[in-house]
Amino acid sequence: MMARALETASIGGRQRLVDWPLLVVTVSLCVVGLLTLYSAAGSPLLEGAPRAFTRQVVYMGLGLGLMVAAAAVPPRLYERCAYGALGVTLLLLLVVLLVGPVRGGAQRWLPLGAFSLQPSELAKLSLVLAAARYFAAQSRPQGWNLRDLLFPTAMLLLPTALLVFKGPDLGTTLFLCSVYGVMVFVVGLRWRSLLMLVLVAGLAAPLAYVHVLGDYQRDRVDALLSPDADPKGHGYQAIQGRYAIGSGRLLGKGFGNNTQGRLRFLPEQHTDFIFSVFAEERGYVGCVALLLLYFTYMLCGLWIAWHARDRFGALLCAGIVAVFFCHVCINLGGVLGLLPITGVTLPFMSYGGSSVLTMLVGSGMLWSVSVRGTA
Amino acid sequence: MIGPSANPTLRVAGRPQELRPRLGFFAVVLVVLLVMLLGRLWILQVVRGAEFADLAEKNHLKEREIPAPRGGIYDADGERIAEVRASFDVVVAPDEVEEGRALELGEMAWAKAGPPDSDAWELPSRIDVGTLCVRLAELLEHADPEELLERFEQGRRADRWRSVVLAADVSEAELERVLARRAWLPGVSVVARHRRHYPNGSLFSHLVGYLREVRADELPRLRERYRDSSHGPGWYQSGDMMGKYGLEAAYEEWLRGDDGSYWVQVDVHGRELGRSAAADRPGDEYFRSIDHFLNRGLTPERSGHDLHLTVRRDLQQLAVDLLGNESGSVVMMEVDSGRVLAVANAPGFDPTIFNSRISPEEWKRLSQDPDHPLVDKALQGVYPPASTWKMIVGAAVLASGEWSDRKLVNCAGSVKVGRRRFHCWNRKGHGKVNLSGALKHSCDVYFYRAGLHVGIDTVARFASMFGMGRPTGIGFNSEASGLNPDSAWKKVRFKSRPRLGVWKKGDTASAVIGQGYTLATPLQVASMTAAFANGGTLYRPLVVDRVVGSNGQVVWRQDPEVTGQVDLAPSHFESIRKGMLAVVDERGGTARGQRLKHLAYAGKTGTAQVVSLGSVRNAKKRNSKRFKDHAWFTAFAPYEQPEVVVTVLVEHGEHGSTAAAPIARKMLEHYFAEPLAKARSEGRRIGDSRPKSRSLATGAGAAVQ
């Protein structure tokens, strides 16, 4: 099937095989991510390459392969399989809840030999696919109001979010809601409805703070509001992260000199807080370059969506950009002290197989739409 | 089957272009967010970058002190009196541990079994202090977790920013165990310290003194004092030891060294990864590219200077042994230089106890002991000098030129002064005595007469020439002045009641026998005796001979210093000395019992009334030790070409001849042991060039009873 798809693409003559800007940006991000991880996961007490780095190389290799494969699949096939993918994801989420091992008080992983799969990561792409398919088929030229959204929300978002929430994984639940929200916005949610949603969310936030959030989540919100109240406890992560970023100054300390991370003053230095390590080593100049790379990637995605030949392609791209966007914004927001710290990874940088694979497969989908689904 | 053509199963509703406005809006949002994030980064990295760089640096670069050893103190023969030895304390920093007391059995087993199998560098960086105490108790000998925890709580309450010493001066085995498990003891560190050690225990207690931890309220003053010195304002830090008494205090600036420092790079567990080195040597920093670190370098420590004393340990030891259980003081010094050979007090104390916090019970025991072990009696103890004062009166009356040493005074046992009758200690009287006889018998009547003849102001003037009434200038332990009363003094003393301030003849009578208002320290009496022995030169008593740098170079030497000259004819000195010789050497002399066959020496006994016995009505009380007289004996030897003076005071020893003189005699026997042995074998007498028949025989008394 892949061979025929490639063949079809070449027959057109006008169509390209490779979306070079997207590929260059993606691979650049992967390389930067690997280099940063090598330095962040290392330690003066450690000989050779850190284990996290070698594993990440494997994940990235696998991910790049999957990206090419995903690029070879025509968008039409994604559209056909969208609901099926969501179904399988829901099933996996259920299986995790039933038989998944408990790690750190949460059931999020399905062990697969040496690796383990995190179905909630898959859920991000599946939800995007399913939502794209649904909204591609429904057009409301006057815009969507809340009542119109009731059905797709109940059918697509609600079951996914509920199963993930049961994890318990409030972070990913909110993440899924955000991605879904961005898609609904792109589809054409009326401004009035949007305003109402924002109002309801604004009113619900304090209630959620008191009733829904667990103690540790409340602590994180508190730590954001006043990190210096508990500098050795809940505020520690945020404060040390700030020291790391700030100490990079304009030009950075140079590769391998992230004292905050390598000497372990900054916890989570190679996962959620890897940006701090990058900022410490590369300084403001490096951060500007990295953020430009990230936003180039997202703008590439939106460019593909803009030129998509059909609604599904456009919505799929918008959805994937939304996933990427939420990752970047929530992670950097937390690291830079603008949002509470959540366990959201930074795409292509943070250590973690599921995240890398998800983002690279997503890139593959963008690529697919770019070479096959644009006019 | 799959291609750009429409798939009939999929409904297509609306055109994709419908989405473009919102996609465009999304792109605008992206750009706005990008700008926001870049703005935030600008604030963190550029605006506040320097601040955060400093804070991050403080995380991993720590200044470590190289404690400088305090200088040692050595006796005249180079024997160690005070030294430092390395000791290791296990300390925990209160702000690096969690509170709480998880003293659970599981933790106990954990601590015994050792660390769990994991990458060492992923261990938790903070644990609770309870767990820490359990782990430490396993590694230390005779340690109880509850006890350690209690110690920690106490220390933290006192100062929560300072490390608490959980185990001081740990053994080598303990040290090894703790260091091996350091990674599992976050917040715990081992501090090397120099601990002051006094190998002779209480032998030199008042002379050497002691160290105490510098008080928090002293620090600002010390900072101010050394601000512009080479030591810098940070010479003293909280927790440092400082000389507070004795030579440790007086020579503090010499003895104290300058701590050095270097920088280490540590990880979050406090493990050292590298350290800075002196400028001429490469360091082994881990992060070589961080230039701040490279430039910090190493400041080597400078050890304190050593003190070499004039005091001899053997003489000091003998003096303390001879005083035994008595309370008193022995001073021995060289006649022609003022170099002190022994300055011992009993009872003493072990200066080591002041190194650490002293317990209230211990403090109470020391401070409330009726024998005052904390008082340096030789320098600070003031006593009526009693009959030792008579030499001064003799000098005064000879100097007047109106009495010669041959002048006879009839002692009938008492003399009436004003309306009061003043008795001689021998109520039967001594009959006719000349100066020599009066000294030999310590006849009070002779000196009443002599004193009244020249008047108190003349006596006081001579006493002053002999150094009385002012500190000798030995230079430590806030030496007492004693009291050398005269008419002017009394006027000032009773300023508010002028009628009482008139000097009366009775006052003179009391003063000339060293009673009444008159007070002197043993050191003053020794100094005065030396002046009689050497012909009137008053030297500043010296205890420190030289200060030696750590390289062995003498940086300061104390030369004998003349502080006064007594204006008296040599023949008059000779007369007094002859009387003092008679005290020891002639039959009937008050210290005749302590005569040495092969060493001629001269001395004077004294018996100082503690209270006027008349005022103690209760006979039982009168017999109690607290009301017994103080015993004095001061002597110089040999009689001819004197070398040393020895002064002994025994509190409540009753009689100078029985309580004090034997101590002095034994001191002299020890000091002259070698010449004595030689003299004995040669049948010669040291310090006595008179014809043998006269000197070795019992001298004839000049006075007839």
Side-chain angles (χ1 to χ4, degrees):
Chain A
M1 192 187 327
M2 194 189 291
R4 280 184 63 186
L6 287 170
E7 190 188 323
T8 316
S10 56
I11 288 169
R14 290 180 295 117
Q15 279 173 319
R16 301 155 300 147
L17 254 182
V18 181
D19 183 340
W20 285 108
L22 182 70
L23 187 65
V24 167
V25 171
T26 308
V27 172
S28 309
L29 281 172
C30 285
V31 170
V32 171
L34 277 178
L35 287 176
T36 312
L37 182 70
Y38 184 88
S39 178
S43 152
L45 302 176
L46 217 56
E47 297 271 325
R51 207 178 51 174
F53 172 77
T54 43
R55 293 186 74 131
Q56 187 85 334
V57 169
V58 173
Y59 294 141
M60 289 228 169
L62 199 67
L64 287 171
L66 283 177
M67 176 175 81
V68 174
V73 175
R76 193 90 3 191
L77 191 60
Y78 287 122
E79 193 171 5
R80 286 172 69 102
C81 303
Y83 291 149
L86 186 64
V88 170
T89 306
L90 289 177
L91 203 67
L92 283 173
L93 284 171
L94 203 63
V95 170
V96 166
L97 279 185
L98 293 178
V99 302
V102 178
R103 278 195 224 161
Q107 283 174 300
R108 293 175 196 171
W109 295 269
L110 265 185
L112 294 174
F115 300 98
S116 53
L117 182 73
Q118 206 175 342
S120 56
E121 285 289 328
L122 282 183
K124 293 170 185 169
L125 285 185
S126 312
L127 183 69
V128 166
L129 280 170
R133 173 160 177 186
Y134 178 83
F135 290 117
Q138 307 282 329
S139 176
R140 300 274 194 288
Q142 310 83 17
W144 293 67
N145 60 29
L146 290 179
R147 199 181 312 144
D148 300 330
L149 284 176
L150 223 54
F151 179 71
T153 308
M155 292 305 290
L156 306 176
L157 178 65
L158 200 63
T160 324
L162 265 181
L163 284 174
V164 171
F165 184 68
K166 271 283 171 193
D169 191 349
L170 182 69
T172 309
T173 310
L174 289 175
F175 188 93
L176 291 173
C177 294
S178 313
V179 171
Y180 183 79
V182 173
M183 290 187 72
V184 165
F185 171 77
V186 171
V187 159
L189 182 67
R190 284 186 190 162
W191 288 108
R192 247 197 8 227
S193 307
L194 184 68
L195 195 70
M196 236 159 85
L197 269 182
V198 170
L199 272 178
V200 168
L203 289 176
L207 288 176
Y209 175 79
V210 178
H211 296 292
V212 181
L213 292 192
D215 279 337
Y216 82 97
Q217 291 155 337
R218 252 196 296 278
D219 288 337
R220 283 181 174 184
V221 177
D222 294 343
L224 169 76
L225 299 177
S226 52
D228 300 317
D230 186 9
K232 299 276 178 192
H234 302 299
Y236 182 78
Q237 179 84 47
I239 288 174
Q240 294 300 332
R242 249 194 296 171
Y243 290 0
I245 295 167
S247 64
R249 307 184 72 175
L250 192 63
L251 297 172
K253 295 178 183 173
F255 182 73
N257 285 336
N258 67 95
T259 57
Q260 286 287 93
R262 287 178 80 86
L263 302 179
R264 300 291 181 270
F265 292 102
L266 176 68
E268 304 292 343
Q269 84 288 359
H270 64 308
T271 55
D272 298 347
F273 270 69
I274 196 160
F275 181 77
S276 311
V277 169
F278 179 85
E280 191 180 359
E281 290 192 346
R282 298 298 171 194
Y284 187 69
V285 172
C287 289
V288 171
L290 181 66
L291 286 186
L292 283 177
L293 265 185
Y294 272 126
F295 281 82
T296 308
Y297 180 95
M298 288 190 268
L299 291 174
C300 271
L302 288 184
W303 191 90
I304 296 165
W306 182 282
H307 294 282
R309 208 180 320 155
D310 57 24
R311 278 172 65 92
F312 174 77
L315 284 171
L316 178 61
C317 292
I320 288 165
V321 170
V323 170
F324 201 87
F325 170 76
C326 289
H327 265 293
V328 171
C329 284
I330 295 175
N331 180 278
L332 290 188
V335 169
L336 295 177
L338 301 167
L339 293 174
I341 295 166
T342 50
V344 172
T345 54
L346 189 61
F348 303 125
M349 299 272 283
S350 292
Y351 169 67
S354 296
S355 162
V356 165
L357 294 182
T358 309
M359 292 326 301
L360 283 172
V361 169
S363 305
M365 291 177 176
L366 287 182
W367 185 354
S368 160
V369 174
S370 166
V371 297
R372 248 176 299 277
T374 48
Chain B
M1 178 182 154
I2 299 168
S5 58
N7 189 320
T9 57
L10 296 174
R11 270 191 307 140
V12 176
R15 298 176 331 117
Q17 283 80 2
E18 277 176 17
L19 302 173
R20 284 189 176 174
R22 289 294 172 95
L23 286 173
F25 191 87
F26 192 9
V28 171
V29 169
L30 281 183
V31 173
V32 169
L33 273 166
L34 173 68
V35 170
M36 274 174 63
L37 290 174
L38 289 179
R40 175 70 178 168
L41 275 168
W42 177 265
I43 291 171
L44 288 178
Q45 296 193 285
V46 181
V47 178
R48 297 181 66 187
E51 171 196 343
F52 287 127
D54 187 47
L55 288 165
E57 199 171 83
K58 279 187 179 128
N59 266 345
H60 69 103
L61 293 186
K62 308 271 181 197
E63 192 173 12
R64 290 282 153 86
E65 221 171 61
I66 312 173
R70 194 177 174 84
I73 302 180
Y74 302 89
D75 86 339
D77 301 323
E79 289 204 53
R80 286 170 306 182
I81 293 176
E83 57 185 354
V84 288
R85 64 182 174 78
S87 83
F88 296 94
D89 294 352
V90 175
V91 304
V92 60
D95 62 328
E96 285 175 24
V97 295
E98 301 290 339
E99 284 176 43
R101 31 170 73 216
L103 301 177
E104 287 163 15
L105 281 178
E107 275 296 335
M108 295 263 197
W110 194 97
K112 279 175 193 156
D117 183 28
S118 75
D119 290 329
W121 52 283
E122 296 295 2
L123 286 166
S125 58
R126 292 171 70 81
I127 62 173
D128 65 285
V129 65
T131 307
L132 217 50
C133 288
V134 173
R135 292 179 191 178
L136 272 178
E138 284 295 322
L139 303 173
L140 301 171
E141 283 146 27
H142 319 295
D144 174 64
E146 288 285 354
E147 222 171 86
L148 292 176
L149 196 58
E150 182 55 36
R151 208 170 299 166
F152 172 80
E153 292 296 337
Q154 268 181 8
R156 195 182 55 112
R157 270 197 296 274
D159 184 354
R160 60 183 297 239
W161 300 114
R162 246 184 72 198
S163 291
V164 182
V165 178
L166 286 189
D169 203 4
V170 296
S171 71
E172 216 166 292
E174 290 174 303
L175 178 70
E176 230 163 74
R177 282 199 296 268
V178 170
L179 287 180
R181 298 281 175 97
R182 221 168 136 188
W184 301 278
L185 300 167
V188 169
S189 43
V190 173
V191 181
R193 283 184 214 272
H194 295 290
R195 201 168 285 272
R196 200 56 156 169
H197 178 58
Y198 303 97
N200 301 295
S202 62
L203 186 55
F204 293 95
S205 42
H206 301 97
L207 172 63
V208 166
Y210 50 76
L211 305 175
R212 299 220 68 178
E213 213 177 286
V214 66
R215 288 195 317 271
D217 58 307
E218 290 175 302
L219 283 171
R221 197 172 43 78
L222 290 168
R223 202 160 292 137
E224 194 54 47
R225 188 196 295 171
Y226 294 108
R227 181 177 304 284
D228 302 319
S229 74
S230 62
H231 307 295
W235 203 25
Y236 288 89
Q237 298 290 334
S238 166
D240 281 2
M241 301 300 283
M242 181 187 192
K244 291 283 184 170
Y245 190 68
L247 295 178
E248 294 274 30
Y251 286 80
E252 170 73 9
E253 289 190 17
W254 281 118
L255 287 166
R256 183 176 175 76
D258 291 85
D259 289 346
S261 69
Y262 60 96
W263 291 83
V264 293
Q265 187 160 42
V266 295
D267 70 2
V268 71
H269 302 295
R271 273 171 298 194
E272 244 176 62
L273 301 166
R275 55 173 67 190
S276 62
D280 53 339
R281 272 179 296 149
D284 58 348
E285 305 89 351
Y286 175 68
F287 292 99
R288 293 191 153 270
S289 51
I290 300 177
D291 27 328
H292 316 292
F293 187 47
L294 283 168
N295 293 337
R296 296 222 167 152
L298 174 146
T299 316
E301 81 281 14
R302 277 184 299 181
S303 12
H305 296 79
D306 292 337
L307 297 189
H308 287 261
L309 306 187
T310 59
V311 172
R312 275 170 52 179
R313 204 192 75 90
D314 57 334
L315 290 169
Q316 184 85 2
Q317 182 72 60
L318 180 65
V320 168
D321 290 347
L322 292 173
L323 283 167
N325 290 328
E326 298 289 349
S327 170
S329 181
V330 174
V331 178
M332 192 171 195
M333 59 194 248
E334 287 179 9
V335 162
D336 280 322
S337 64
R339 292 158 62 90
V340 175
L341 299 171
V343 52
N345 297 304
F349 56 86
D350 182 357
T352 318
I353 60 171
F354 291 93
N355 269 351
S356 40
R357 195 154 292 165
I358 205 163
S359 72
E361 296 81 42
E362 181 121 45
W363 177 249
K364 202 173 157 189
R365 193 178 62 72
L366 280 172
S367 58
Q368 296 187 357
D369 188 319
D371 286 335
H372 305 295
L374 294 177
V375 174
D376 184 355
K377 298 186 179 81
L379 276 63
Q380 298 170 304
V382 287
Y383 306 91
S387 303
T388 60
W389 202 258
K390 287 173 181 168
M391 286 137 23
I392 295 172
V393 180
V397 79
L398 288 179
S400 72
E402 289 154 25
W403 285 26
S404 81
D405 58 350
R406 285 187 301 277
K407 159 131 183 135
L408 291 175
V409 170
N410 186 34
C411 170
S414 70
V415 65
K416 199 165 177 191
V417 180
R419 267 172 294 169
R420 217 183 120 194
R421 185 161 287 279
F422 282 79
H423 292 275
C424 187
W425 66 268
N426 186 346
R427 300 227 169 182
K428 289 185 205 140
H430 291 104
K432 284 192 170 169
V433 288
N434 62 9
L435 176 63
S436 176
L439 284 169
K440 171 179 153 190
H441 296 294
S442 201
C443 174
D444 293 334
V445 169
Y446 179 95
F447 291 101
Y448 293 146
R449 287 264 160 93
L452 289 167
H453 181 75
V454 295
I456 186 62
D457 291 343
T458 306
V459 172
R461 190 163 56 81
F462 271 85
S464 179
M465 277 196 262
F466 281 101
M468 292 300 174
R470 62 173 185 274
T472 62
I474 193 167
F476 63 99
N477 284 359
S478 45
E479 202 192 349
S481 302
L483 182 55
N484 174 22
D486 61 9
S487 55
W489 168 83
K490 197 177 180 191
K491 207 173 278 173
V492 175
R493 168 72 178 74
F494 292 97
K495 204 165 46 201
S496 53
R497 295 154 83 188
R499 271 188 50 203
L500 287 178
V502 177
W503 189 271
K504 299 205 180 92
K505 287 194 165 173
D507 295 331
T508 306
S510 293
V512 293
I513 59 161
Q515 295 284 160
Y517 301 115
T518 315
L519 292 171
T521 66
L523 186 66
Q524 285 177 319
V525 172
S527 190
M528 175 262 282
T529 310
F532 276 107
N534 66 27
T537 308
L538 210 58
Y539 289 97
R540 181 192 299 281
L542 310 178
V543 287
V544 176
D545 176 62
R546 59 194 188 276
V547 174
V548 178
S550 52
N551 54 0
Q553 206 169 16
V554 175
V555 292
W556 184 75
R557 189 182 280 280
Q558 190 157 309
D559 294 317
E561 185 187 338
V562 175
T563 57
Q565 190 71 43
V566 181
D567 184 17
L568 190 71
S571 62
H572 294 158
F573 273 114
E574 190 55 44
S575 305
I576 307 271
R577 282 202 293 266
K578 220 179 259 173
M580 290 173 73
L581 176 69
V583 168
V584 184
D585 230 37
E586 291 182 6
R587 187 170 289 155
T590 53
R592 163 74 184 175
Q594 306 308 321
R595 181 178 187 273
L596 286 171
K597 196 175 175 191
H598 295 282
L599 172 67
Y601 72 97
K604 182 74 198 82
T605 55
T607 302
Q609 272 180 28
V610 175
V611 287
S612 86
L613 288 181
S615 68
V616 184
R617 296 260 176 263
N618 189 329
K620 207 172 163 189
K621 248 190 181 171
R622 202 179 300 180
N623 287 332
S624 92
K625 173 144 189 183
R626 293 286 138 224
F627 296 100
K628 285 185 175 163
D629 298 342
H630 296 320
W632 281 101
F633 186 70
T634 184
F636 63 86
Y639 171 67
E640 289 165 6
Q641 278 113 40
E643 289 175 32
V644 292
V645 50
V646 57
T647 300
V648 179
L649 170 91
V650 178
E651 285 188 349
H652 312 296
E654 281 199 281
H655 298 295
S657 54
T658 52
I663 294 176
R665 191 251 301 160
K666 284 172 191 157
M667 293 290 292
L668 292 175
E669 269 184 308
H670 180 85
Y671 182 84
F672 290 104
E674 263 178 55
L676 267 176
K678 213 173 148 206
R680 203 171 288 128
S681 62
E682 292 168 5
R684 199 164 50 76
R685 194 161 193 239
I686 305 166
D688 192 351
S689 56
R690 292 172 297 175
K692 203 175 177 185
S693 56
R694 245 194 97 182
S695 62
L696 283 179
T698 57
V704 187
Q705 197 147 343

